[in-house]
């Protein structure tokens, strides 16, 4: 499973940080940071989701009020939101 985080869209409400610990608050920027991610295009960050974190990652995507987080399965199909 892969997660994609559009940091430009993020409005820093920090609901995601309560769902998956890979999302961290960056109060200086007013944005979340996705730990261990790579920037795939400008302000879009991606990383693999470990098997034991799949539920938490999907929850983080569900609670984001601006849909800045998307989760894809290994075939590239979007699962959430
Ligand atoms: S829930 Fe969405 S808007 Fe809020 S910090 Fe996380 S990614 Fe940003």
């Amino acid at each position: 499973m892969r997660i994609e985080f559009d940091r430009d869209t993020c409005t820093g409400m920090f609901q995601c940080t309560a769902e998956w610990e890979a999302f961290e608050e960056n109060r200086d920027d007013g944005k979340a940071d996705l730990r261990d991610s790579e920037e795939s295009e400008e302000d879009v960050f991606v990383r693999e989701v470990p098997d034991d974190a799949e539920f938490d990652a999907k929850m983080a995507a569900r609670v984001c009020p601006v849909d800045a987080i998307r989760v894809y399965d290994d075939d590239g199909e979007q699962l959430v939101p």
Side-chain angles (χ1 to χ4, degrees):
M1 180 180 286
R2 186 171 62 86
I3 194 163
E4 191 177 275
F5 169 44
D6 180 350
R7 196 169 188 266
D8 185 48
T9 298
C10 172
T11 53
M13 303 301 284
F14 299 135
Q15 288 97 321
C16 58
T17 63
E19 302 299 334
W20 189 26
E21 42 82 31
F23 283 102
E24 298 172 336
E25 294 185 16
N26 183 331
R27 292 195 173 261
D28 291 336
D29 291 354
K31 305 266 187 186
D33 287 328
L34 179 56
R35 206 177 53 238
D36 298 331
S37 62
E38 290 180 359
E39 194 168 9
S40 65
E41 56 189 276
E42 193 174 350
D43 249 2
V44 177
F45 294 83
V46 297
R47 61 165 284 178
E48 287 297 315
V49 178
D51 289 348
D52 63 359
E54 290 187 350
F55 181 81
D56 292 353
K58 283 193 270 190
M59 284 302 295
R62 278 197 194 103
V63 298
C64 178
V66 293
D67 289 346
I69 303 169
R70 292 177 290 271
V71 174
Y72 299 88
D73 69 14
D74 291 337
D75 295 326
E77 188 174 337
Q78 187 169 338
L79 301 175
V80 190

